[in-house]
Amino acid sequence: MMKQQTISDVEYSARKRKTKREEFLEIMDEIIPWEEWVEYINSFVDCFSAIKAFWPVLFSIVSRRFHSIKSMNITKAGE
């Protein structure tokens, strides 16, 4: 199904001059190696998703440790 163009779409497609934003984005696309950046970021996403999968286990260990220390009524020196 084809989407009907709005008046602004028709006016936008008829213009000849590029905006400064469009020029800037084209230059950025030429300069920045986006594929390498995406691979680099995805490596961290994979790492964090693995940690996220084990978060409930890590949380339970930490909370048990905290509550066991708290139940011993350990206070700071000098109090």
Side-chain angles (χ1 to χ4, degrees):
M1 178 180 229
M2 189 166 167
K3 182 180 173 186
Q4 184 177 3
Q5 287 189 334
T6 63
I7 294 172
S8 60
D9 290 337
V10 173
E11 290 175 354
Y12 186 79
S13 63
R15 69 185 178 83
K16 296 178 182 174
R17 185 171 177 269
K18 289 184 182 178
T19 63
K20 291 185 185 230
R21 180 180 183 271
E22 289 172 332
E23 291 175 5
F24 172 76
L25 292 175
E26 286 178 0
I27 292 170
M28 293 299 289
D29 284 338
E30 292 174 5
I31 294 172
I32 296 177
W34 292 110
E35 293 81 21
E36 293 176 20
W37 282 36
V38 168
E39 288 177 22
Y40 182 73
I41 291 170
N42 281 339
S43 68
F44 287 104
V45 170
D46 294 339
C47 177
F48 288 126
S49 63
I51 291 172
K52 187 177 177 183
F54 292 106
W55 178 250
V57 175
L58 295 173
F59 180 75
S60 66
I61 292 169
V62 170
S63 66
R64 285 181 190 158
R65 180 72 178 147
F66 173 76
H67 289 296
S68 66
I69 291 172
K70 190 176 176 184
S71 66
M72 290 185 222
N73 293 325
I74 298 175
T75 58
K76 293 180 183 176
E79 288 186 1

